[in-house]
Amino acid sequence: MINRQCVVVSGILFSLFAMTGCQTWQTVYEDDYSYPATKPFNAKFNTWFWREDATGTHVFNYIDTPGNAGPDKKGCFADAPCVKLTAPVYLQSGDAKPPYINAEMYNNSCARQGPGHPDKQPYDRLLDPVNPLLQSITLIQPTKLHANIQKYCDLPYPYRPIDGVAKQGPFAEDSWNTTTTTNIAHNYLALIADKEALWKWYRDIGFNNIYLADDAVSSRIVANVRADGTGGGSRGWGYWNTTMNPLVMQFAWFMEITTEKKPPSSGFDNNVWMMTVRGGSSLDFCLTPLSPEKYSIYDWHQYSIEWTSKSVQYFVDNMLVADHRKYIPDIGLAFHNWVDNRNYGKYGPPNYPLKTPKSNLINQFAVYQQQATGQQNVSPVAINGTTCGSVPFDKDINEIQELIKKIIEAYG
């Protein structure tokens, strides 16, 4: 492993990380997750979706550690509280299949004209009112479509209808995002097959994939995260273009996949990988396992992903743990942090009946960009256990469950 650190001596920037150098990163977005429950609300809060799929939940301003947070800000303290995402226990009844339980946060598509954003609302441009294909798919008149986008983005989140009454979040007045840039991508699967509740469906007809690395700019995300609870399912954090369509799906993230051992009474295998994946006519991927002995996701760590046009590098506590140089994402991606009960392994049902709650806690998050100079032609760093491959698949496959199974099987 290689330690990535930078020091300043007499105004000159030196790098202790010789492989990529130490670049100057400019802050794009930062959130410490400390949200006031009374006005004035935190303006940063409205830059995220907080999805409460099925019975997944979010707890804001969560505190579980007494005292002061200290310089590392790791832990859920009064002066550095956490957001806690939880997939709760689901007790399976008879032969009934358990539902999908998910709690997730990602970039908000309810983006509108605001300070620094003189353009028209991206959702106003999302669906062409005279596009016959889209109208034939949705069977929704443009006026109704945009009226409902306005209606549901006007609701503060987290939001879930309870007995027909909207649950109002105390941290924001609405869900409109006026604090970040936008890059709205159509979500055709929502138009064709998505059966979500309307308040989620209307927000998910477009995804805000605002981060990009190309020959001009590089992107970096940094987050303090701790996982809690094992059992079946998955969790993770990193970049994703927020689509379930394998023909265009791309991501670069830390992901835990929990599979049931055989026999089931012997427990679970909890495997964490750094995954770089690019879909298309085949599933192209690079995988590196994360050592649980050195970096348990059940302890607090700082996770960072540095994405350039030539590489995706993964760091834990400033230590380089994966360096992928193939199948690099080349489109806009969003940040995702999720925990769910879907089992992407070889065994067990797609949705696992959890016996203990599963949570992700996060108390700091930041996004950085830099001009892509001086780091595009560096040699790759050898990391033990990295596997890259390409798996052709039938274009009729549209379940990510099947794709992840193939990744695991190809890995070994």
Side-chain angles (χ1 to χ4, degrees):
M1 304 306 171
I2 297 175
N3 188 14
R4 182 190 184 282
Q5 293 183 356
C6 300
V7 296
V8 177
V9 179
S10 300
I12 301 176
L13 189 65
F14 291 91
S15 172
L16 300 182
F17 184 38
M19 304 312 297
T20 64
C22 184
Q23 305 293 325
T24 301
W25 291 93
Q26 303 296 321
T27 303
V28 175
Y29 177 81
E30 187 171 12
D31 202 331
D32 57 10
Y33 302 121
S34 178
Y35 302 130
T38 59
K39 292 183 179 181
F41 297 134
N42 190 333
K44 292 183 295 183
F45 184 84
N46 70 359
T47 61
W48 297 103
F49 275 155
W50 304 92
R51 292 176 61 88
E52 298 185 339
D53 290 342
T55 55
T57 62
H58 299 84
V59 176
F60 300 89
N61 290 354
Y62 179 76
I63 300 171
D64 68 356
T65 308
N68 187 275
D72 62 359
K73 298 293 185 183
K74 293 177 181 176
C76 305
F77 303 91
D79 57 352
C82 297
V83 175
K84 183 178 182 180
L85 289 67
T86 300
V89 172
Y90 174 83
L91 299 178
Q92 192 169 3
S93 176
D95 295 331
K97 294 182 179 180
Y100 180 51
I101 299 173
N102 164 268
E104 187 168 12
M105 48 186 285
Y106 55 92
N107 291 92
N108 185 1
S109 294
C110 288
R112 67 175 181 182
Q113 182 178 348
H117 298 278
D119 294 337
K120 290 177 62 179
Q121 298 176 12
Y123 263 177
D124 287 342
R125 302 191 305 267
L126 183 62
L127 301 180
D128 185 345
V130 297
N131 186 317
L133 175 61
L134 290 176
Q135 289 308 308
S136 67
I137 290 174
T138 64
L139 301 178
I140 300 174
Q141 293 300 315
T143 53
K144 181 178 179 181
L145 184 73
H146 291 291
N148 279 327
I149 289 174
Q150 181 78 36
K151 171 184 175 181
Y152 291 112
C153 287
D154 276 350
L155 292 170
Y157 51 78
Y159 162 81
R160 184 192 296 161
I162 301 175
D163 297 328
V165 179
K167 172 185 175 184
Q168 303 297 311
F171 306 101
E173 294 183 345
D174 56 45
S175 294
W176 288 105
N177 168 12
T178 62
T179 60
T180 65
T181 56
T182 59
N183 180 31
I184 304 294
H186 294 80
N187 177 19
Y188 290 104
L189 290 185
L191 299 174
I192 297 171
D194 202 331
K195 305 300 182 184
E196 291 185 315
L198 290 181
W199 72 271
K200 288 183 286 189
W201 187 89
Y202 275 102
R203 295 176 179 182
D204 279 3
I205 60 175
F207 292 127
N208 193 11
N209 300 321
I210 64 176
Y211 307 125
L212 178 67
D214 55 23
D215 289 336
V217 66
S218 300
S219 181
R220 177 189 182 201
I221 57 175
V222 180
N224 289 341
V225 183
R226 179 174 72 82
D228 190 20
T230 56
S234 75
R235 58 157 54 92
W237 40 87
Y239 294 101
W240 183 28
N241 65 326
T242 330
T243 181
M244 302 292 283
N245 183 350
L247 300 179
V248 295
M249 179 173 59
Q250 298 191 23
F251 57 78
W253 60 28
F254 293 86
M255 182 177 187
E256 178 191 49
I257 300 177
T258 305
T259 56
E260 199 171 41
K261 293 181 179 179
K262 286 191 173 182
S265 59
S266 59
F268 302 93
D269 284 321
N270 298 87
N271 300 302
V272 180
W273 285 280
M274 284 75 73
M275 293 182 170
T276 303
V277 171
R278 191 171 65 192
S281 61
S282 62
L283 180 73
D284 303 326
F285 64 88
C286 285
L287 298 175
T288 305
L290 182 66
S291 169
E293 292 79 15
K294 291 184 177 180
Y295 304 108
S296 170
I297 64 171
Y298 303 103
D299 298 324
W300 279 104
H301 292 288
Q302 182 186 82
Y303 297 87
S304 179
I305 303 173
E306 296 188 6
W307 170 30
T308 77
S309 65
K310 297 293 190 293
S311 68
V312 178
Q313 294 185 317
Y314 299 80
F315 299 84
V316 180
D317 296 335
N318 290 321
M319 299 296 293
L320 180 67
V321 292
D323 184 19
H324 296 166
R325 299 301 175 99
K326 299 180 68 175
Y327 313 126
I328 307 304
D330 58 2
I331 59 176
L333 306 179
F335 171 72
H336 278 255
N337 176 21
W338 85 94
V339 56
D340 65 28
N341 71 326
R342 178 152 291 176
N343 192 327
Y344 298 101
K346 299 178 183 178
Y347 316 115
N351 298 330
Y352 195 84
L354 296 178
K355 299 176 182 178
T356 59
K358 292 181 58 177
S359 298
N360 290 354
L361 294 90
I362 179 171
N363 76 349
Q364 277 198 322
F365 172 74
V367 184
Y368 305 91
Q369 287 184 350
Q370 67 175 5
Q371 292 185 348
T373 58
Q375 62 172 342
Q376 299 300 298
N377 298 313
V378 296
S379 300
V381 178
I383 302 293
N384 292 334
T386 298
T387 300
C388 294
S390 183
V391 180
F393 59 83
D394 188 329
K395 290 187 177 182
D396 289 337
I397 295 176
N398 60 7
E399 289 291 336
I400 194 172
Q401 168 197 351
E402 297 294 328
L403 302 181
I404 299 299
K405 283 184 180 179
K406 290 184 177 182
I407 291 177
I408 297 175
E409 290 167 357
Y411 178 75

